CSV table of all heavy atoms in Angstrom, one decimal:
chain,number,residue,atom,x,y,z
C,112,ILE,N,77.8,126.0,126.2
C,112,ILE,CA,76.8,125.3,125.3
C,112,ILE,C,77.4,123.8,125.1
C,112,ILE,O,78.5,123.6,124.7
C,112,ILE,CB,76.7,126.0,123.9
C,112,ILE,CG1,76.2,127.4,124.1
C,112,ILE,CG2,75.8,125.2,123.0
C,112,ILE,CD1,76.3,128.3,122.8
C,113,LYS,N,76.5,122.9,125.3
C,113,LYS,CA,76.9,121.5,125.3
C,113,LYS,C,76.5,120.8,124.0
C,113,LYS,O,75.4,121.2,123.5
C,113,LYS,CB,76.3,120.7,126.5
C,113,LYS,CG,76.7,121.3,127.8
C,113,LYS,CD,78.2,121.1,128.2
C,113,LYS,CE,78.5,119.6,128.5
C,113,LYS,NZ,80.0,119.5,128.8
C,114,LYS,N,77.3,119.9,123.5
C,114,LYS,CA,76.8,119.0,122.3
C,114,LYS,C,75.7,118.1,122.9
C,114,LYS,O,75.9,117.6,124.0
C,114,LYS,CB,77.9,118.1,121.9
C,114,LYS,CG,79.1,118.9,121.2
C,114,LYS,CD,80.0,118.0,120.5
C,114,LYS,CE,80.7,117.0,121.4
C,114,LYS,NZ,81.8,117.6,122.2
C,115,ALA,N,74.7,117.9,122.2
C,115,ALA,CA,73.7,116.9,122.6
C,115,ALA,C,73.6,115.8,121.5
C,115,ALA,O,73.4,116.2,120.3
C,115,ALA,CB,72.4,117.6,122.8
C,116,ALA,N,73.7,114.6,121.8
C,116,ALA,CA,73.7,113.5,120.8
C,116,ALA,C,72.5,113.6,120.0
C,116,ALA,O,71.3,113.8,120.5
C,116,ALA,CB,73.8,112.2,121.6
C,117,GLY,N,72.6,113.5,118.7
C,117,GLY,CA,71.5,113.4,117.8
C,117,GLY,C,70.9,114.8,117.5
C,117,GLY,O,70.0,114.9,116.7
C,118,GLN,N,71.4,115.9,118.1
C,118,GLN,CA,70.8,117.2,117.9
C,118,GLN,C,71.7,118.0,116.9
C,118,GLN,O,72.9,117.8,116.8
C,118,GLN,CB,70.9,118.0,119.2
C,118,GLN,CG,70.0,117.5,120.4
C,118,GLN,CD,68.5,117.6,120.0
C,118,GLN,OE1,68.1,118.7,119.6
C,118,GLN,NE2,67.8,116.5,120.1
C,119,PRO,N,71.0,118.8,116.1
C,119,PRO,CA,71.8,119.7,115.1
C,119,PRO,C,72.7,120.7,115.9
C,119,PRO,O,72.4,121.0,117.0
C,119,PRO,CB,70.7,120.4,114.3
C,119,PRO,CG,69.5,120.3,115.2
C,119,PRO,CD,69.6,119.2,116.1
C,120,PRO,N,73.7,121.1,115.2
C,120,PRO,CA,74.6,122.1,115.9
C,120,PRO,C,73.8,123.4,116.3
C,120,PRO,O,72.9,123.7,115.5
C,120,PRO,CB,75.7,122.5,114.9
C,120,PRO,CG,75.6,121.5,113.8
C,120,PRO,CD,74.2,120.9,113.8
C,121,PRO,N,74.1,124.1,117.3
C,121,PRO,CA,73.3,125.3,117.7
C,121,PRO,C,73.5,126.4,116.7
C,121,PRO,O,74.6,126.5,116.1
C,121,PRO,CB,73.9,125.6,119.1
C,121,PRO,CG,75.2,125.1,119.1
C,121,PRO,CD,75.3,123.8,118.3
C,122,ALA,N,72.5,127.2,116.5
C,122,ALA,CA,72.6,128.4,115.6
C,122,ALA,C,73.0,129.5,116.5
C,122,ALA,O,72.6,129.7,117.7
C,122,ALA,CB,71.4,128.7,114.9
C,123,LEU,N,73.9,130.4,116.1
C,123,LEU,CA,74.3,131.6,116.8
C,123,LEU,C,73.3,132.7,116.4
C,123,LEU,O,73.2,133.0,115.2
C,123,LEU,CB,75.7,132.0,116.5
C,123,LEU,CG,76.8,131.1,117.0
C,123,LEU,CD1,78.2,131.6,116.6
C,123,LEU,CD2,76.7,130.7,118.4
C,124,HIS,N,72.8,133.4,117.4
C,124,HIS,CA,71.8,134.5,117.1
C,124,HIS,C,72.7,135.8,117.2
C,124,HIS,O,73.2,136.1,118.3
C,124,HIS,CB,70.7,134.5,118.0
C,124,HIS,CG,69.8,135.6,117.8
C,124,HIS,ND1,69.1,135.8,116.6
C,124,HIS,CD2,69.4,136.7,118.5
C,124,HIS,CE1,68.4,136.9,116.6
C,124,HIS,NE2,68.6,137.5,117.8
C,125,LEU,N,72.9,136.5,116.1
C,125,LEU,CA,73.8,137.7,116.1
C,125,LEU,C,73.0,138.9,116.2
C,125,LEU,O,71.9,139.1,115.6
C,125,LEU,CB,74.6,137.7,114.8
C,125,LEU,CG,75.6,136.5,114.5
C,125,LEU,CD1,76.3,136.7,113.2
C,125,LEU,CD2,76.5,136.4,115.7
C,126,VAL,N,73.5,139.8,117.1
C,126,VAL,CA,72.8,141.1,117.4
C,126,VAL,C,73.8,142.2,117.0
C,126,VAL,O,74.9,142.2,117.3
C,126,VAL,CB,72.5,141.2,118.9
C,126,VAL,CG1,71.7,142.5,119.3
C,126,VAL,CG2,71.7,139.9,119.4
C,127,PRO,N,73.3,143.3,116.3
C,127,PRO,CA,74.2,144.3,115.9
C,127,PRO,C,74.9,145.0,117.0
C,127,PRO,O,74.3,145.2,118.1
C,127,PRO,CB,73.3,145.4,115.2
C,127,PRO,CG,72.1,144.6,114.8
C,127,PRO,CD,71.9,143.5,115.8
C,128,ASN,N,76.1,145.3,116.9
C,128,ASN,CA,77.0,146.1,117.9
C,128,ASN,C,76.8,147.6,117.6
C,128,ASN,O,76.4,148.0,116.5
C,128,ASN,CB,78.4,145.8,117.8
C,128,ASN,CG,78.8,144.6,118.7
C,128,ASN,OD1,78.1,144.4,119.7
C,128,ASN,ND2,79.9,143.9,118.3
C,129,PRO,N,77.0,148.4,118.6
C,129,PRO,CA,77.0,149.9,118.4
C,129,PRO,C,78.2,150.2,117.4
C,129,PRO,O,79.2,149.5,117.5
C,129,PRO,CB,77.2,150.5,119.7
C,129,PRO,CG,77.8,149.4,120.6
C,129,PRO,CD,77.3,148.1,120.0
C,130,ASP,N,78.0,151.2,116.6
C,130,ASP,CA,79.0,151.7,115.7
C,130,ASP,C,79.8,152.8,116.5
C,130,ASP,O,79.2,153.9,116.6
C,130,ASP,CB,78.5,152.1,114.4
C,130,ASP,CG,79.6,152.4,113.4
C,130,ASP,OD1,80.6,153.0,113.7
C,130,ASP,OD2,79.4,151.9,112.2
C,131,ILE,N,81.0,152.6,116.9
C,131,ILE,CA,81.7,153.6,117.7
C,131,ILE,C,82.1,154.8,116.9
C,131,ILE,O,81.9,155.9,117.3
C,131,ILE,CB,82.9,152.9,118.4
C,131,ILE,CG1,82.5,151.7,119.3
C,131,ILE,CG2,83.8,153.9,119.1
C,131,ILE,CD1,83.6,150.7,119.6
C,132,LEU,N,82.6,154.5,115.7
C,132,LEU,CA,83.1,155.6,114.8
C,132,LEU,C,81.8,156.5,114.4
C,132,LEU,O,82.0,157.8,114.6
C,132,LEU,CB,83.7,155.0,113.5
C,132,LEU,CG,84.0,156.0,112.5
C,132,LEU,CD1,85.1,157.1,113.0
C,132,LEU,CD2,84.6,155.3,111.2
C,133,ALA,N,80.7,155.9,114.1
C,133,ALA,CA,79.6,156.7,113.7
C,133,ALA,C,79.0,157.5,115.0
C,133,ALA,O,78.6,158.6,114.9
C,133,ALA,CB,78.5,155.8,113.2
Side-chain angles (χ1 to χ4, degrees):
I112 301 169
K113 303 292 287 179
K114 295 192 296 290
Q118 294 294 309
L123 296 181
H124 179 64
L125 299 180
V126 181
N128 269 334
D130 191 315
I131 299 164
L132 174 62

